[in-house]
Amino acid sequence: MKLQAEGVQAGYGKAQVLFGVDLEVGAGELVALLGANGAGKTTFLRVVSGLLRPWEGVVRLDGQDLRGLSPARRARLGLGHVPEGRQIFPLMSVEENLLLGAAFLAWERRREGLEEVYALFPRLAERKGQAAGTLSGGEQQMLAIGRALMGRPRLLLVDEPSLGLSPRLAEEVLASLERIKAQGVGLLLVEQNVALSLEVADRGYVMEQGRIVLEGSARALKEDSRVREAYLAL
Ligand code: ATP
């Protein structure tokens, strides 16, 4: 499923945050959206998933204009969103959290979804009856991703999955995104960990103060002198 954003402007109150963002994610592509804290990356994801109405611009999924569609409608079209900060329900079990991600699907489909998520994240299977709040940070991030997968997305937005994780766990979580991609799901990954995201991404965009200032293949971005100085500290 292809995502196309054109000329997206958005903000909060009178404060403009996005100043005309053009971005594409092809079907089955893993694309990184990079940039410093406060650049507007999260705001852009909120526009795509319908949580924030843009001031200008269009977002399309497989050519369909999403303007006016609620977040729930967009989810049914195949758009998944793993929000920043995970937002899992700590007192509910792992499995109950997962099932919340498939509330709009038939029971049979939920069973299949659980099997798929447990195959992708065996640790969640081992802990399915446990309260989600007792999971480690990395496991909670896997749960947040698993919950989004339960909705059968064909395009998944993932906001800062490595935040607060040890380097080893961050690597593990980002590697899981490659496995999701291998199943044909497109991903738009927002990350401050530029080095790690360029290891898993096909392409990337760099956002500064609400504008895309650089785009290219992950390989080209890794070698770009501006990226190396500003984001890789090389
Ligand atoms: P981070 O990695 O910290 O999430 P980001 O690139 O995702 O950074 P955004 O969260 O999109 O950046 O924030 C962009 C700007 O919008 C910031 O200046 C932020 O203070 C502002 N902002 C974000 N959310 C709101 C809100 N709900 N109300 C007002 N301003 C907001």
Side-chain angles (χ1 to χ4, degrees), residues 28-32 82 120-121 141-142 144-146 148-149 156-162 170-191 196-197 200-202:
E29 211 184 10
L30 203 174
V31 174
V82 184
L120 188 66
F121 298 116
Q141 187 62 60
M142 292 171 197
I145 295 170
L149 288 177
L156 189 60
L157 313 174
V158 190
D159 200 352
E160 299 276 5
S162 79
E171 225 169 284
E172 198 177 316
V173 166
L174 290 199
S176 75
L177 302 183
E178 287 185 292
R179 298 203 298 276
I180 293 167
K181 179 188 122 165
Q183 299 176 354
V185 178
L187 294 110
L188 180 58
L189 165 66
V190 160
E191 261 293 337
L196 206 48
S197 19
V200 298
D202 301 308

Side-chain angles (χ1 to χ4, degrees), residues 103-223:
F104 59 85
L105 295 174
W107 180 248
E108 181 51 30
R109 169 55 210 146
R110 292 188 223 175
R111 282 262 137 247
E112 280 169 26
L114 286 175
E115 280 166 26
E116 284 168 21
V117 170
Y118 291 148
L120 188 66
F121 298 116
R123 287 203 225 183
L124 295 183
E126 288 162 22
R127 293 163 174 70
K128 62 182 167 191
Q130 205 168 307
T134 65
L135 298 178
S136 74
E139 290 160 356
Q140 289 188 20
Q141 187 62 60
M142 292 171 197
L143 178 56
I145 295 170
R147 185 176 60 190
L149 288 177
M150 290 290 292
R152 285 235 131 147
R154 289 188 292 143
L155 183 87
L156 189 60
L157 313 174
V158 190
D159 200 352
E160 299 276 5
S162 79
L163 199 68
L165 302 186
S166 70
R168 194 180 56 77
L169 275 175
E171 225 169 284
E172 198 177 316
V173 166
L174 290 199
S176 75
L177 302 183
E178 287 185 292
R179 298 203 298 276
I180 293 167
K181 179 188 122 165
Q183 299 176 354
V185 178
L187 294 110
L188 180 58
L189 165 66
V190 160
E191 261 293 337
Q192 287 188 43
N193 189 332
V194 172
L196 206 48
S197 19
L198 289 180
E199 288 305 313
V200 298
D202 301 308
R203 289 193 304 115
Y205 293 84
V206 177
M207 183 181 275
E208 279 174 12
Q209 295 173 13
R211 292 180 172 85
I212 300 295
V213 295
L214 206 59
E215 63 175 282
S217 70
R219 178 188 298 248
L221 289 178
K222 253 187 276 185
E223 286 164 7

Side-chain angles (χ1 to χ4, degrees), residues 89 92 95-104 110 147 150:
F89 295 92
M92 293 171 68
E95 187 149 301
E96 285 164 343
N97 269 275
L98 287 175
L99 288 169
L100 284 177
F104 59 85
R110 292 188 223 175
R147 185 176 60 190
M150 290 290 292

Side-chain angles (χ1 to χ4, degrees), residues 8-148:
V8 171
Q9 300 189 34
Y12 305 94
K14 286 183 180 157
Q16 187 161 1
V17 173
L18 300 178
F19 295 85
V21 175
D22 297 333
L23 181 152
E24 275 191 31
V25 182
E29 211 184 10
L30 203 174
V31 174
L33 176 56
L34 311 168
N37 227 315
K41 307 178 300 295
T42 297
T43 301
F44 180 73
L45 294 189
R46 291 168 57 84
V47 168
V48 173
S49 62
L51 297 167
L52 183 68
R53 188 186 295 261
W55 298 357
E56 291 288 341
V58 193
V59 179
R60 293 193 182 87
L61 268 186
D62 277 348
Q64 180 177 356
D65 186 339
L66 298 184
R67 266 178 295 201
L69 299 190
S70 67
R73 287 286 304 282
R74 294 175 197 218
R76 284 189 185 83
L77 288 176
L79 186 66
H81 190 169
V82 184
E84 192 173 13
R86 302 165 199 151
Q87 301 182 17
I88 58 157
F89 295 92
L91 299 178
M92 293 171 68
S93 73
V94 166
E95 187 149 301
E96 285 164 343
N97 269 275
L98 287 175
L99 288 169
L100 284 177
F104 59 85
L105 295 174
W107 180 248
E108 181 51 30
R109 169 55 210 146
R110 292 188 223 175
R111 282 262 137 247
E112 280 169 26
L114 286 175
E115 280 166 26
E116 284 168 21
V117 170
Y118 291 148
L120 188 66
F121 298 116
R123 287 203 225 183
L124 295 183
E126 288 162 22
R127 293 163 174 70
K128 62 182 167 191
Q130 205 168 307
T134 65
L135 298 178
S136 74
E139 290 160 356
Q140 289 188 20
Q141 187 62 60
M142 292 171 197
L143 178 56
I145 295 170
R147 185 176 60 190

